[in-house]
């Protein structure tokens, strides 16, 4: 075993071996993997081995597609068999809601190049003849679905890595990981110490324990999972070809052929977490005791859906643990707060996602950033607030909902409320229907007396529609108030603060008393931040951006921190309110002695002032696109500030509004939203953010070369707005845009403008096609809806009210 290496991967399951292989594929050969037992020990060896592309996140689906295509490449490279069975698969829908979900997924696949198709009940019967189609409305067929040999595939990854120079050390338990002053890692093992420049935690069932060695808590938890392999079934072995996979979400089961019989697994509601207090180091190639009682109801349902099971004997029961993160997605990327420590764990669907995870992490380590937006699996999407007490109920909930319909407006209840602001009980008393962001409870809308305090999950317009309309009306005609807690907030101070920001941000850094809007770019020119910078003095700046991305942004800031600069994440220390609407100025003027007249307090001004008795930072800007102010104060003063503003606002028609109204209001001005219109998938030129880049400043800001090259060449696609002839469902995201009979673009987000009484969609199309009045069709839940490109904002098109 060598004593020094560039990268040490801890864990020899399919994910660890994929990471090792992809590091070599992208050019790093001085890499090694250490495994406490044999390769595949843990969850890999007893996995059912199925793979599929279906995933609600399009980038995750794309990575799953990459994983599946990679297997033939591995076989050709190594001469080893992965045991591939590309048999195709169909996902069943027994309710209209589930069928809506499948139609929405099919629409996404059109522009992703995935050739799935919607089937009717009789077509399903032809494809998967053992299926009882009673009660089935339709299904989604994917020809890429299949299964493989977990052991053979893992060893193929390992052989490919070895062929490129990687070292693999087995039967060598890691006992300590200690960071050295230069950022490298001491990895103390049973066979000695290894010094590694980078450490990758691919510990699988032991990832929590490996993380704890470095003082890291990784939010994941093992769950017990059970599947059954039957004896021979004539209806299976007498077929001329292999039976396809069948996913029956209504029955919480998945089924595939196994030899001359069937393999069927379950995601039962009465599930069991495993190893709550830690995974035993001695566990590895064992199975858990059979527990058929917990899947009794699921088995009975499966007998009805697949009648051949009722007379088939059981050959074996496979019952073993595998890990979930709270939202079911992997935990991948650089761990915030540590140098050169990388996560590759929580990958519950290892044979669908393992290749994509390995590719993503290798790109991140070698090239500095992945090729696409992977925030859905970025380890930074969970903050320092998360604890095992939160993780466990969320993991159980995720397991139980593994096959449930996933609605775009759904708010799952487990482990809530977790994080709350001083306003929580006040909002609650006013009828707030809460959502959560980064663990924080945030009002989505306010129900009136007599209205249900619950938003019905739906792909169509929900029961929040009327309440949202009321709140939009209040903002546009009087004044609305909502909380600004759910912004990520940073203070940047010091003699070099301005110079540092000039390099980190692509836009102009404002003068004292002013604020600016600026993109933050990756070296490749991708959007990694959408910031408001408020200059409080020459050496003091407040940055605001997405609350849910604060750990992601802080990781980036600290990676690039230099000079005499101090950075503080004050997201939960500085809070306050936004007031917006034609009466907002009158409300503010009545509660402060500062001059807030339009001539004195201009659009994009920022001032310190006392509001009531609270010291505040007030800035003249509003995401509603209306006349508005953001008023920040210390969390200890928030309730006082609320009472001052609320009492003064009563005679001006003040009403609270939530995130549903905010998302409707921003559509009136075609404002983009972070991780919808603005994300690492897109560039500034594509999304209209280029107008906020300061190409005149004499600073080599990060991403400048890429941004200048794109500016000179012109973006191939551009963000535009459409007015949609919708029925009862609006655009959510990723719906294909059809132009002259072919898919030429896709939607980034959309919704209903309650101000204009129109359905609006934002989307990316080829730049040369982006002309006012362009007629297109947008596929919403399987229906082609006419739409027309518009360029004039629906509200305050000349900005007179917002700026006046």
């Amino acid at each position: 075993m060598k004593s020094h290496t560039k990268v040490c991967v801890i864990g020899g399951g399919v994910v660890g071996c994929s990471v090792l292989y992809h590091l070599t594929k992208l050019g790093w050969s001085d890499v090694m993997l250490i495994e406490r037992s044999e390769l595949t020990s843990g969850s890999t060896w007893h996995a059912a081995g199925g793979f599929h592309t279906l995933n609600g996140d399009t980038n995750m689906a794309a990575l799953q597609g990459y994983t599946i295509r990679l297997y033939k490449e591995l076989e050709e490279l190594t001469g080893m068999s992965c045991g591939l069975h590309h048999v195709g698969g169909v996902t069943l829908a027994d309710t209209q809601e589930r069928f809506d979900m499948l139609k929405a997924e099919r629409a996404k696949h059109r522009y992703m190049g995935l050739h799935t198709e919607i089937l009717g009940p009789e077509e399903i019967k032809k494809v998967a003849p053992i299926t009882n189609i009673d009660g089935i409305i339709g299904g989604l067929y994917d020809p890429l679905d299949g299964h493989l040999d977990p052991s053979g595939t893992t060893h193929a990854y390992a052989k490919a890595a070895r062929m490129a120079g990687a070292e693999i050390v087995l039967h060598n338990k890691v006992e300590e990981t200690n960071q050295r002053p230069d950022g490298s890692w001491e990895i103390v093992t049973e066979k000695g110490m290894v010094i590694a420049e980078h450490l990758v935690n691919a510990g699988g069932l032991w990832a929590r324990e490996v993380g704890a060695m470095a003082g890291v808590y990784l939010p994941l938890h093992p769950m017990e999972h059970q599947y059954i392999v039957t004896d021979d079934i004539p209806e299976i072995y007498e077929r001329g070809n292999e039976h396809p996979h069948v996913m029956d979400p209504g029955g919480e089961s998945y089924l595939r052929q196994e030899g001359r019989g069937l393999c069927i697994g379950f995601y039962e509601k009465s599930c069991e977490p495993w190893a709550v207090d830690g995974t035993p180091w001695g566990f590895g190639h064992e199975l858990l005791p059979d527990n058929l009682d917990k899947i009794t109801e699921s088995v009975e349902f499966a007998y009805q859906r697949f009648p051949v099971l009722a007379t088939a004997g059981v050959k074996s029961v496979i019952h073993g643990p595998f890990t979930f993160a709270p939202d079911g997605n992997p935990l991948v990327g650089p761990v915030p707060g540590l140098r050169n420590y990388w996560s590759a764990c929580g990958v519950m669907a290892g044979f669908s996602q393992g290749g994509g995870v390995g590719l993503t992490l290798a790109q991140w380590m070698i090239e500095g950033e992945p090729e696409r937006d992977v925030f859905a699996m970025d380890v930074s999407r969970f903050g320092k607030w998360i604890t095992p007490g939160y993780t466990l109920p969320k993991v159980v909930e995720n397991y139980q909902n593994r096959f449930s319909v996933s609605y775009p407006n759904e708010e799952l209840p487990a482990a809530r409320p977790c994080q709350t602001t001083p306003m929580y009980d006040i909002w609650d008393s006013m009828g707030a229907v809460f959502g959560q962001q980064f663990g924080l409870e945030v009002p989505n809308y306010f129900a009136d007396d007599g209205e249900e305090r619950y938003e019905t999950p739906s792909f169509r317009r929900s029961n929040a529609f009327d309440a949202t309309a009321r709140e939009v009306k209040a903002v546009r005609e009087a004044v609305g108030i909502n909380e600004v807690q759910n912004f990520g907030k940073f203070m940047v101070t010091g003699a070099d603060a301005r110079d540092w920001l000039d390099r980190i941000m692509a836009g102009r850094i404002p003068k004292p008393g002013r604020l600016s809007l600026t993109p933050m770019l990756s070296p490749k020119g991708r959007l990694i931040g959408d910031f408001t910078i408020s200059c409080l003095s020459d050496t003091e700046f407040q940055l605001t951006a997405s609350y849910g991305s604060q750990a992601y942004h802080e990781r980036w800031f600290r990676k690039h921190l230099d000079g005499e600069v101090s950075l503080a994440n004050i997201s939960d220390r500085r809070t306050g309110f936004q007031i917006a609407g034609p009466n907002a100025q009158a409300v503010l003027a009545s509660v402060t002695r500062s001059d807030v007249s339009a001539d004195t307090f201009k659009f994009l001004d920022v001032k310190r002032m006392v509001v009531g008795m609270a010291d505040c930072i007030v800035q003249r800007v509003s995401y509603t696109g209306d006349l508005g102010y953001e008023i920040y104060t210390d969390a200890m003063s928030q309730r006082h500030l609320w009472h001052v503003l609320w009492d003064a606002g009563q005679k001006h028609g003040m009403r609270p509004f939530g995130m549903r109204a905010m998302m409707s209001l921003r559509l009136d001005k075609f404002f983009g939203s972070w991780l919808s219109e603005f994300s690492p998938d897109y560039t500034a030129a594509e999304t209209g953010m280029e107008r906020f880049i300061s190409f005149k400043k004499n600073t080599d800001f990060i991403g400048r070369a890429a941004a200048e090259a794109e500016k000179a060449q012109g973006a191939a696609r551009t963000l535009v707005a459409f007015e949609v002839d919708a029925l009862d469902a609006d655009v959510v995201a990723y719906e294909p845009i059809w132009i002259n009979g072919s898919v030429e673009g896709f939607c980034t987000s959309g919704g209903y403008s309650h101000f204009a009484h129109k359905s609006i969609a934002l989307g990316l199309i080829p730049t040369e096609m982006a002309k006012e009045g362009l007629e297109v069709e947008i596929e919403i839940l399987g229906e082609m809806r006419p739409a027309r490109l518009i360029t004039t904002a629906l509200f305050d098109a000349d900005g007179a009210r917002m700026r006046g």
Side-chain angles (χ1 to χ4, degrees):
M1 182 179 74
K2 58 186 176 183
S3 60
H4 290 75
T5 186
K6 191 171 188 67
V7 183
C8 179
V9 179
I10 300 174
V14 65
V15 174
C17 290
S18 172
V19 170
L20 192 71
Y21 163 67
H22 281 93
L23 287 169
T24 64
K25 184 179 182 180
L26 269 62
W28 283 5
S29 59
D30 181 18
V31 296
M32 70 184 301
L33 182 150
I34 297 176
E35 161 58 39
R36 50 173 282 284
S37 183
E38 298 282 354
L39 295 182
T40 78
S41 297
S43 297
T44 297
W45 76 272
H46 61 71
F51 54 78
H52 57 88
T53 59
L54 187 63
N55 191 294
D57 183 277
T58 55
N59 281 334
M60 291 295 294
L63 287 171
Q64 289 176 197
Y66 165 81
T67 300
I68 294 167
R69 292 188 294 270
L70 175 65
Y71 292 135
K72 287 186 178 179
E73 178 184 322
L74 275 178
E75 289 185 327
E76 293 172 358
L77 179 64
T78 64
M80 297 180 66
S81 172
C82 293
L84 292 177
H85 296 255
H86 279 288
V87 297
V90 60
T91 301
L92 306 177
D94 56 356
T95 66
Q96 186 58 49
E97 291 78 8
R98 201 178 303 281
F99 198 41
D100 283 347
M101 183 183 78
L102 295 181
K103 288 188 289 186
E105 291 304 308
R106 170 66 186 99
K108 295 177 187 177
H109 294 163
R110 290 190 193 276
Y111 78 86
M112 294 173 62
L114 297 174
H115 303 292
T116 57
E117 57 183 301
I118 294 292
L119 303 182
E122 294 302 325
E123 293 173 301
I124 293 171
K125 188 68 175 177
K126 291 179 181 178
V127 170
I130 67 169
T131 307
N132 175 5
I133 59 173
D134 289 349
I136 296 298
I137 298 173
L140 179 69
Y141 179 75
D142 185 348
L144 283 180
D145 275 14
H147 57 277
L148 45 66
D149 170 22
S151 178
T153 301
T154 303
H155 282 87
Y157 275 125
K159 181 177 180 180
R162 283 191 179 109
M163 289 169 61
E167 179 180 358
I168 296 176
V169 183
L170 304 179
H171 302 288
N172 188 28
K173 178 174 171 285
V174 172
E175 297 177 331
E176 294 180 30
T177 61
N178 304 305
Q179 186 148 52
R180 293 153 60 95
D182 65 356
S184 64
W185 288 87
E186 294 177 352
I187 300 158
V188 181
T189 77
E190 293 175 327
K191 296 181 178 179
M193 182 189 296
V194 175
I195 306 298
E197 184 179 336
H198 298 271
L199 184 158
V200 177
N201 181 348
L205 290 175
W206 295 269
R208 293 176 297 175
E209 287 70 29
V210 172
M213 293 177 186
V216 172
Y217 171 64
L218 293 168
L220 52 84
H221 198 92
M223 294 293 295
E224 298 180 2
H225 182 66
Q226 203 160 205
Y227 65 89
I228 294 170
V229 178
T230 73
D231 287 328
D232 295 356
I233 299 174
E235 291 87 346
I236 295 298
Y237 65 74
E238 290 177 355
R239 282 173 52 85
N241 56 323
E242 190 169 356
H243 197 280
H245 289 206
V246 184
M247 277 62 68
D248 181 24
E252 303 168 349
S253 70
Y254 59 88
L255 173 146
R256 67 168 175 83
Q257 185 169 338
E258 174 69 22
R260 291 161 58 92
L262 290 170
C263 165
I264 183 166
F266 305 94
Y267 284 92
E268 68 284 356
K269 299 294 184 186
S270 58
C271 56
E272 294 286 344
W274 182 76
V276 173
D277 295 317
T279 302
W281 285 108
F283 187 84
H285 277 278
E286 304 91 332
L287 289 174
L288 306 177
D290 297 349
N291 186 359
L292 299 179
D293 288 345
K294 70 175 180 174
I295 60 172
T296 298
E297 292 184 10
S298 298
V299 170
E300 291 174 353
F301 194 99
Y303 284 178
Q304 298 173 34
R305 181 63 68 212
F306 310 107
V308 297
L309 290 171
T311 56
V314 174
K315 180 184 293 184
S316 59
V317 178
I318 310 299
H319 191 202
F322 65 118
T323 57
F324 279 80
D327 59 4
N329 279 343
L331 299 171
V332 180
V335 173
L338 290 178
R339 292 172 61 191
N340 301 332
Y341 191 104
W342 304 80
S343 175
C345 53
V347 189
M348 54 76 53
F351 293 98
S352 292
Q353 300 173 343
V357 166
L359 174 67
T360 295
L361 196 65
Q363 289 175 336
W364 216 330
M365 296 175 73
I366 296 172
E367 300 172 7
E369 59 185 288
E371 67 182 274
R372 53 170 51 89
D373 175 21
V374 292
F375 188 75
M377 64 179 181
D378 191 330
V379 67
S380 74
R381 72 187 185 275
F382 298 109
K384 295 177 182 177
W385 51 269
I386 201 166
T387 65
Y390 175 92
T391 299
L392 178 56
K394 292 304 288 187
V395 164
V396 170
E397 178 185 62
N398 187 272
Y399 185 99
Q400 292 172 328
N401 286 282
R402 172 75 176 155
F403 277 167
S404 296
V405 178
S406 180
Y407 298 97
N409 67 328
E410 188 171 24
E411 298 283 353
L412 296 174
R416 293 180 56 198
C418 179
Q419 301 282 97
T420 60
T421 75
M423 284 297 297
Y424 181 78
D425 61 327
I426 294 176
W427 293 141
D428 188 51
S429 71
M430 298 179 77
V433 179
F434 290 97
Q436 72 84 32
Q437 183 185 16
F438 204 60
L440 177 71
E441 295 294 316
V442 179
N444 278 340
Y445 68 96
F446 292 83
D448 273 358
D449 292 342
E451 292 181 339
E452 186 179 17
R453 294 275 301 274
Y454 173 75
E455 183 177 4
T456 304
S458 177
F459 289 95
R460 303 172 191 275
R461 292 171 189 161
S462 76
N463 59 323
F465 191 82
D466 291 342
T468 303
R470 292 193 301 263
E471 295 169 24
V472 167
K473 180 179 175 68
V475 172
R476 290 291 184 240
E477 297 182 3
V479 59
I481 184 169
N482 76 348
E483 208 167 359
V484 292
Q485 172 69 23
N486 58 323
F487 288 158
K489 299 175 276 298
F490 297 89
M491 283 301 297
V492 178
T493 57
D496 297 326
R498 178 177 292 276
D499 290 342
W500 181 75
L501 286 170
D502 228 2
R503 186 171 64 84
I504 292 294
M505 301 294 178
R508 178 181 55 83
I509 309 305
K511 296 178 180 179
R514 294 287 287 170
L515 62 86
S516 65
L517 308 178
T518 175
M520 185 166 70
L521 306 179
S522 75
K524 294 181 180 179
R526 299 284 171 172
L527 289 169
I528 59 171
D530 169 27
F531 280 85
T532 299
I533 302 179
S534 306
C535 181
L536 306 178
S537 74
D538 280 323
T539 59
E540 186 180 14
F541 299 83
Q542 176 178 283
L543 314 183
T544 54
S546 164
Y547 186 79
S549 296
Q550 62 180 271
Y552 170 95
H553 287 143
E554 183 172 359
R555 181 179 64 195
W556 182 259
F557 290 151
R558 295 202 180 280
K559 177 181 178 180
H560 294 279
L561 205 59
D562 59 19
E564 191 178 326
V565 180
S566 294
L567 174 78
N569 184 341
I570 59 168
S571 299
D572 295 326
R573 286 158 38 199
R574 186 165 292 171
T575 185
F577 302 94
Q578 172 185 199
I579 57 173
N583 297 341
Q585 186 184 69
V587 172
L588 183 59
S590 70
V591 294
T592 182
R593 298 187 63 82
S594 298
D595 185 353
V596 295
S597 62
D599 292 337
T600 303
F601 198 14
K602 297 180 176 64
F603 182 62
L604 301 185
D605 273 357
V606 56
K607 295 188 176 186
R608 296 185 186 273
M609 63 179 71
V610 175
V611 180
M613 296 186 294
D615 283 320
C616 297
I617 295 170
V618 183
Q619 43 197 46
R620 174 106 185 263
V621 69
S622 173
Y623 189 52
T624 66
D626 215 312
L627 168 64
Y629 306 88
E630 292 173 356
I631 308 170
Y632 296 92
T633 192
D634 185 88
M636 293 294 286
S637 299
Q638 187 184 21
R639 286 174 74 101
H640 164 72
L641 180 60
W642 159 258
H643 289 297
V644 168
L645 293 170
W646 182 249
D647 291 347
Q650 293 315 289
K651 66 180 181 181
H652 297 286
M654 180 177 280
R655 186 180 191 115
F657 67 102
M659 290 305 297
R660 296 285 184 259
M662 180 78 88
M663 290 295 104
S664 175
L665 290 159
R666 61 107 181 176
L667 290 174
D668 297 341
K669 301 279 281 188
F670 309 151
F671 287 168
S673 176
W674 182 244
L675 292 185
S676 293
E677 285 67 47
F678 311 135
S679 86
D681 276 336
Y682 314 128
T683 66
E686 291 173 333
T687 57
M689 290 293 282
E690 189 180 61
R691 69 187 186 276
F692 296 114
I693 293 180
S694 178
F695 289 106
K696 294 181 179 179
K697 66 181 185 180
N698 296 319
T699 305
D700 187 20
F701 57 82
I702 296 173
R704 178 164 192 152
E708 287 180 333
E710 187 173 41
K711 186 175 189 293
Q713 182 177 350
R717 59 185 180 179
T718 190
L719 182 69
V720 294
F722 295 96
E723 180 182 330
V724 187
D725 180 12
L727 296 175
D728 61 343
D730 303 299
V731 159
V732 175
Y734 300 113
E735 293 84 351
I737 299 171
W738 293 76
I739 304 175
N740 298 325
S742 64
V743 176
E744 299 288 353
F746 62 94
C747 297
T748 52
S749 73
Y752 190 79
S753 165
H754 288 275
F755 168 75
H757 306 290
K758 295 178 179 180
S759 183
I760 302 298
L762 303 179
L764 287 160
I765 63 171
T767 301
E768 68 272 13
M769 294 182 173
K771 308 293 187 212
E772 172 78 34
L774 174 71
E775 300 286 342
V776 307
E777 289 182 303
I778 297 177
E779 186 177 350
I780 302 176
L781 300 181
E783 294 188 6
M784 296 296 199
R785 303 307 309 165
R788 182 175 62 87
L789 193 154
I790 55 177
T791 57
T792 302
L794 306 175
F795 168 76
D796 193 31
D798 62 358
R801 191 149 107 186
M802 181 175 69
R803 299 172 185 274

